[in-house]
Amino acid sequence: MNAKASSGGEKESSGTSSEALGESGVLGEAKRGQVIRVAYVIAALDLTFLFMQMGVMPYMGKSLGLDSVGFGYLQTLFGVLQLVGGYIFGRFADQFGARAALILSCASGSIFFLLMSLSSSIPLLFLSRLPAVFMHGIPGAQKVITDMTTPSKRAGALGKLGLCFGVGIISGSALGGVLSTKFSVYVPAYVGLVGSLINTLIAMIWIPSQTKPKPDHHVTEHSTSQSGSLFSIREIVRLMKFPGVMEVFIVKVFAGLPIGLFMIMFSIISMDFFGLEAVESGYLMSYFGVLQMVVQGLVVGKLASHCTEMTLLRLSVFVFAGVGLGMALMRTVWHYCIIAVPLVFAFSMLATITDSILTKAVPSSDTGAMLGICASVQPLTRTVGPTIGGVLYKQFGVSSFGYLQLMVNLGLFVYLLKSKIPLEEMKSQ
């Protein structure tokens, strides 16, 4: 009995109990680190191919006779599919494991690029968007990291995914431009097809099947999943009822919504308001990618290890409010380059901290579904954003995005200061 108690105490003090890690507890620390690094590689490649196709898609659509309105419909379709598929993908990961989910995402990417490479007409181009419903490389990588880390280390590990995002923006945008200019607009699709197949093989070989977590034994029956279906409104409502989940999710959605609307309209704003050429817009995107890598690699992880998550959540919302004021007053692209520094910081911190808080607040058997819900925030913005953003820009100008950002985040900051959000770590109880 004493030996067992001693063993249990050692596990609790080291923070590496199998209950905190799901089944990943059977893996050694070195093996878990290797799996996490593989997840980073898969995420970086996935984002590279995604940004590569995003850069050439307008030119491919134009070559097929697609006008600006049709291209808007194409983008909306992609956003709706990602929105619907985010939660389904998360539930799939919970039921079949992170390995199966990553393989599904990479295989869907292969089909996506195959159909894109065969798109010789507008209907085929629209058809090529359909596999996007299961293309969720980042949530898949987040699920692996969530299963492989203790709650105390999760925010730092999830934050490093921002490095992958930066790599994807820089390399994907540059590679897509070079390949489409020197060869053909279809060549990036061929590269994406081969790369996605390689990603599928990497996931099959290097991601262990035991990343699928065991259900938490301490969780009562009413708080565990009662549905085996991949999409259930009842399951979403159940997750939102956990202490603190609804409050943090509301902050996650609304804090970044105004800047999300601005980014959706950025291609038009960069031409009309800043007067940038296509090449200069590409340089600006690369600048964002570098900032993302620096912030996620050098700032977010260190702050997460020294400050509480609620403190960092309040900080990100407060900085977002300051960004809103700066956007309302900016007049040139150089002003925007200065504002981009706190903007990237707040955006990265908000995404990392909210994902970390929300995955800790639900049972380990539901982390995939929770990550899927979180991943649906951006597709939701992309779906409704063109309409709302277009009205704001036409009726009130660029400064309206800044004032909206300022007002929304000041309200959220006051709410976070006054409210005591109950945060519970379900997997460490």
Side-chain angles (χ1 to χ4, degrees):
M1 290 291 292
N2 292 336
K4 289 182 179 179
S6 174
S7 174
E10 289 174 4
K11 287 182 179 179
E12 187 174 352
S13 62
S14 64
T16 57
S17 68
S18 60
E19 201 165 294
L21 291 172
E23 285 192 356
S24 64
V26 302
L27 299 177
E29 185 175 349
K31 177 63 175 176
R32 291 197 301 272
Q34 183 186 62
V35 173
I36 290 173
R37 286 191 291 273
V38 171
Y40 289 147
V41 171
I42 292 174
L45 291 174
D46 182 81
L47 286 166
T48 297
F49 304 141
L50 183 64
F51 280 104
M52 186 171 62
Q53 69 87 23
M54 286 174 63
V56 301
M57 187 53 61
Y59 302 98
M60 182 178 289
K62 186 177 180 180
S63 68
L64 296 175
L66 191 67
D67 59 15
S68 58
V69 176
F71 183 72
Y73 291 147
L74 188 69
Q75 294 293 82
T76 301
L77 174 63
F78 186 84
V80 170
L81 290 170
Q82 289 265 289
L83 174 63
V84 173
Y87 175 73
I88 297 175
F89 181 85
R91 290 278 292 163
F92 180 89
D94 285 334
Q95 295 189 22
F96 299 99
R99 178 176 182 266
L102 268 180
I103 292 172
L104 174 64
S105 175
C106 296
S108 299
S110 301
I111 299 172
F112 175 89
F113 284 109
L114 175 62
L115 293 175
M116 183 176 165
S117 67
L118 298 175
S119 297
S120 56
S121 64
I122 293 177
L124 284 176
L125 190 62
F126 274 83
L127 182 65
S128 71
R129 306 292 95 180
L130 295 183
V133 71
F134 294 123
M135 288 172 56
H136 298 277
I138 288 295
Q142 287 176 325
K143 175 63 175 170
V144 172
I145 293 168
T146 299
D147 292 349
M148 289 284 134
T149 55
T150 57
S152 60
K153 296 182 179 179
R154 184 164 305 152
L158 288 173
K160 290 184 176 66
L161 274 175
L163 290 170
C164 305
F165 194 84
V167 170
I169 290 179
I170 297 170
S171 59
S173 301
L175 191 60
V178 170
L179 292 176
S180 60
T181 301
K182 289 196 172 184
F183 301 100
S184 166
V185 290
Y186 289 94
V187 171
Y190 303 145
V191 174
L193 171 60
V194 175
S196 295
L197 289 173
I198 293 174
N199 245 2
T200 306
L201 290 175
I202 292 174
M204 293 175 66
I205 296 171
W206 290 99
I207 302 297
S209 58
Q210 57 262 47
T211 58
K212 181 180 178 181
K214 294 177 181 178
D216 293 294
H217 298 296
H218 66 274
V219 179
T220 57
E221 184 178 353
H222 76 273
S223 64
T224 57
S225 177
Q226 301 294 315
S227 172
S229 65
L230 291 179
F231 186 83
S232 171
I233 298 297
R234 182 184 299 177
E235 288 300 301
I236 297 176
V237 173
R238 180 182 65 83
L239 291 177
M240 290 296 162
K241 288 182 178 178
F242 282 104
V245 170
M246 177 64 78
E247 294 90 336
V248 174
F249 186 73
I250 288 174
V251 173
K252 180 181 183 70
V253 171
F254 287 100
L257 179 61
I259 194 64
L261 299 177
F262 174 83
M263 295 306 295
I264 287 173
M265 299 300 298
F266 185 73
S267 59
I268 296 175
I269 292 172
S270 64
M271 289 187 295
D272 296 346
F273 187 76
F274 294 133
L276 300 181
E277 299 292 336
V279 175
E280 294 169 328
S281 295
Y283 292 152
L284 195 57
M285 290 301 293
S286 297
Y287 170 66
F288 263 90
V290 172
L291 282 180
Q292 182 92 11
M293 294 173 66
V294 172
V295 169
Q296 293 281 24
L298 301 178
V299 180
V300 173
K302 290 184 179 180
L303 284 178
S305 63
H306 290 90
C307 305
T308 65
E309 290 180 330
M310 186 52 63
T311 299
L312 294 177
L313 182 60
R314 293 187 182 114
L315 175 63
S316 62
V317 171
F318 181 75
V319 173
F320 253 146
V323 168
L325 179 60
M327 288 177 60
L329 300 175
M330 73 177 178
R331 294 293 179 267
T332 68
V333 70
W334 298 110
H335 293 162
Y336 184 60
C337 288
I338 296 172
I339 296 169
V341 178
L343 168 61
V344 170
F345 169 80
F347 200 89
S348 302
M349 184 64 72
L350 180 75
T352 300
I353 294 303
T354 51
D355 285 352
S356 178
I357 292 174
L358 292 171
T359 54
K360 291 177 185 178
V362 300
S364 61
S365 57
D366 289 313
T367 53
M370 194 70 250
L371 288 169
I373 294 173
C374 292
S376 298
V377 174
Q378 285 190 350
L380 175 62
T381 305
R382 286 199 299 267
T383 302
V384 302
T387 302
I388 301 175
V391 171
L392 283 174
Y393 181 58
K394 287 184 178 181
Q395 299 295 327
F396 306 103
V398 172
S399 61
S400 63
F401 296 100
Y403 287 122
L404 182 62
Q405 179 83 8
L406 175 62
M407 291 186 293
V408 169
N409 281 276
L410 279 180
L412 290 174
F413 183 68
V414 173
Y415 168 72
L416 288 174
L417 286 178
K418 289 188 175 182
S419 65
K420 294 183 178 179
I421 300 176
L423 299 179
E424 298 181 8
E425 294 184 4
M426 295 296 296
K427 291 181 271 309
S428 60
Q429 291 178 343

